[in-house]
């Protein structure tokens, strides 16, 4: 992996909770980029006075930002690193091979880029935030990890296409406001928003110790209920991915930081309908007070990052991918 200085390092990063007023339809790429959390979300969270969890955040998003929308947040998968407080009991859904929602082939509702190809999955990287720690250009890693999911498994049935971002596409996020024009719709099936400040994770997710998060959206009917496919799966509309730039990232395990490939491959698995898989075993050493973490079986989709390389597809990753995609485009 090549270390590069961000070509956009001159951009000023502003974090606030104020709504923006967007009037221009085009954006000068040289202008400053800001991140803003919409007032409607922060006000709802403040009024509810509930501790932020995936369940309460899902409710907050759906009752504020998406209250009048035909899509809703269905799953929020936050990827954390194991720490001294981790126990087996802290990890739920250890054998959720696939998510309850599925991308539906031929679904004209999600032709977000208007290319007419409804049997592929389109993803886009928000280039201004595609650099980790101002050092690592993540876009080549994004491409490599999606290629791995597409080509390295038992089932090679779906094409995962990259769209190249330009500012005319507008806001890549349905949750955050980057001061860019927005139609209120996604710009691709999957939006890799990129490496965001830890303060955004704290404000939205209630924690700074999250490495990455994937928000999965589904289409809903007039009653707000998820629309089901002919096979009984919820009709997936969009997935949005964030990574936490508050961590020290590294090119590989043992390089003094969090392995980029392992975390990116994991989060991309969620965008492709995979859940967490594997049992965490914790061994405590009484003399040293240290803990050793072991996953069985070893897979990219293990629920916690334990400092080991997961930049490969394990047997269960491949099998679960086939469960989700083996019959594509007939599922």
């Amino acid at each position: 992996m090549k270390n590069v200085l961000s070509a956009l390092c001159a951009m000023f990063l502003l974090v606030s909770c104020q709504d923006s007023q967007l009037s221009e339809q085009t954006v000068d790429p040289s202008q400053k980029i800001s991140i803003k959390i919409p007032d409607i979300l922060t006000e709802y969270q403040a009024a509810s006075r509930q501790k932020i969890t995936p369940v309460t955040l899902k409710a907050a998003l759906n009752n504020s930002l998406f209250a009048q929308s035909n899509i809703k947040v269905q799953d929020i998968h936050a990827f954390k690193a194991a720490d001294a407080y981790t126990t087996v009991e802290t990890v739920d859904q250890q054998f959720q091979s696939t998510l309850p929602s599925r991308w539906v082939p031929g679904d004209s509702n999600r032709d977000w880029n208007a290319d007419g190809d409804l049997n592929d999955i389109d993803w886009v990287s928000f280039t201004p935030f595609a650099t980790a720690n101002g050092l690592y250009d993540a876009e080549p890693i994004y491409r490599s990890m999606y290629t791995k999911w597409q080509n390295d498994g038992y089932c090679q049935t779906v094409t995962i296409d990259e769209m190249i971002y330009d500012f005319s596409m507008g806001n890549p996020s349905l949750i955050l406001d980057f001061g860019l024009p927005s139609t209120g719709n996604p710009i691709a099936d999957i939006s890799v928003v990129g490496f965001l400040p830890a303060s955004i994770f704290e404000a939205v997710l209630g924690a700074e110790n999250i490495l990455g998060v994937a928000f999965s959206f589904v289409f809903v009917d007039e009653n707000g209920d998820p629309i089901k496919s002919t096979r009984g799966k919820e009709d997936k509309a969009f997935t949005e991915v964030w990574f936490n730039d508050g961590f020290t990232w590294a090119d590989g395990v043992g390089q003094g930081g969090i392995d980029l490939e392992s975390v990116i491959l994991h989060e991309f698995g969620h965008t492709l309908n995979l859940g967490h898989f594997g049992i965490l075993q914790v061994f405590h050493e009484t003399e040293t007070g240290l803990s050793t973490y072991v996953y069985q079986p070893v897979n990219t989709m293990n629920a916690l990052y334990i400092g080991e390389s997961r930049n490969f597809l394990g047997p269960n990753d491949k099998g679960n991918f086939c469960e989700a995609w083996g019959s594509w485009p007939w599922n």
Side-chain angles (χ1 to χ4, degrees), residues 29-60:
S30 66
Q31 78 173 48
K32 297 173 182 178
I33 301 293
S34 63
I35 307 177
K36 299 178 182 180
I37 302 169
D39 281 345
I40 190 172
L41 174 58
T42 55
E43 289 170 358
Y44 183 94
Q45 288 179 315
S48 69
R49 297 183 179 181
Q50 292 180 310
K51 179 181 178 181
I52 301 177
T53 67
V55 173
T56 62
L57 177 57
K58 173 182 170 180

Side-chain angles (χ1 to χ4, degrees), residues 266 277-278 295-302 310 312-318:
H266 177 101
F277 200 88
Y295 261 110
Q296 294 292 338
V298 173
N299 290 291
T300 284
M301 298 311 295
N302 292 152
R310 292 291 190 274
F312 56 86
L313 302 185
N316 298 106
D317 296 319
K318 296 177 182 180

Side-chain angles (χ1 to χ4, degrees), residues 140-315:
I141 308 174
Y142 295 164
R143 296 183 188 106
S144 177
M145 297 303 100
Y146 267 129
T147 298
K148 190 165 292 190
W149 277 115
Q150 177 178 285
N151 296 334
D152 287 7
Y154 303 135
C155 300
Q156 300 173 9
T157 55
V158 63
T159 300
I160 306 170
D161 284 339
E162 179 184 10
M163 296 168 51
I164 303 301
Y165 181 82
D166 68 63
F167 281 85
S168 66
M169 295 178 178
N171 191 356
S173 173
L174 294 189
I175 298 172
L176 301 174
D177 179 359
F178 287 91
L180 300 170
S182 174
T183 64
N185 289 325
I187 62 174
D189 297 317
I190 300 165
S191 185
V192 185
V193 177
F195 289 81
L196 307 178
S199 56
I200 292 293
F201 282 77
E202 173 67 29
V204 176
L205 292 147
E208 294 182 346
N209 65 334
I210 296 171
L211 300 171
V213 61
F215 300 87
S216 294
F217 294 73
V218 297
F219 289 106
V220 296
D221 61 22
E222 61 274 10
N223 297 317
D225 298 320
I227 295 174
K228 299 291 185 69
S229 71
T230 55
R231 296 201 175 188
K233 297 293 185 179
E234 296 166 0
D235 186 358
K236 179 166 284 188
F238 171 65
T239 301
E240 179 170 326
V241 182
W242 308 351
F243 299 106
N244 190 340
D245 207 39
F247 284 89
T248 299
W249 295 92
D251 179 8
V253 172
Q255 302 300 313
I258 304 294
D259 180 38
L260 282 162
E261 289 190 353
S262 296
V263 176
I264 292 170
L265 188 65
H266 177 101
E267 287 307 310
F268 285 3
H270 289 313
T271 72
L272 297 170
N273 303 334
L274 273 66
H276 289 147
F277 200 88
I279 293 178
L280 177 67
Q281 297 174 301
V282 184
F283 300 95
H284 299 288
E285 299 180 18
T286 55
E287 292 184 2
T288 63
L290 299 176
S291 298
T292 301
Y293 302 97
V294 177
Y295 261 110
Q296 294 292 338
V298 173
N299 290 291
T300 284
M301 298 311 295
N302 292 152
L304 291 173
Y305 180 85
I306 60 173
E308 297 177 352
S309 176
R310 292 291 190 274
N311 64 348
F312 56 86
L313 302 185

Side-chain angles (χ1 to χ4, degrees), residues 86-142:
T86 299
T87 66
V88 173
E89 288 74 23
T90 64
V91 184
D92 60 359
Q93 296 179 319
Q94 295 185 21
F95 284 102
Q96 186 188 29
S97 58
T98 60
L99 303 182
S101 59
R102 289 284 196 279
W103 298 107
V104 175
D107 188 351
S108 59
N109 289 324
R110 64 169 183 84
D111 190 16
W112 306 121
N113 64 348
D115 69 351
D117 187 349
L118 303 177
N119 289 332
D120 67 351
I121 301 299
D122 296 312
W123 68 277
V124 66
S125 163
F126 187 39
T127 302
F129 287 86
T131 303
N133 299 153
L135 294 173
Y136 297 100
D137 180 3
E139 289 191 331
I141 308 174
Y142 295 164

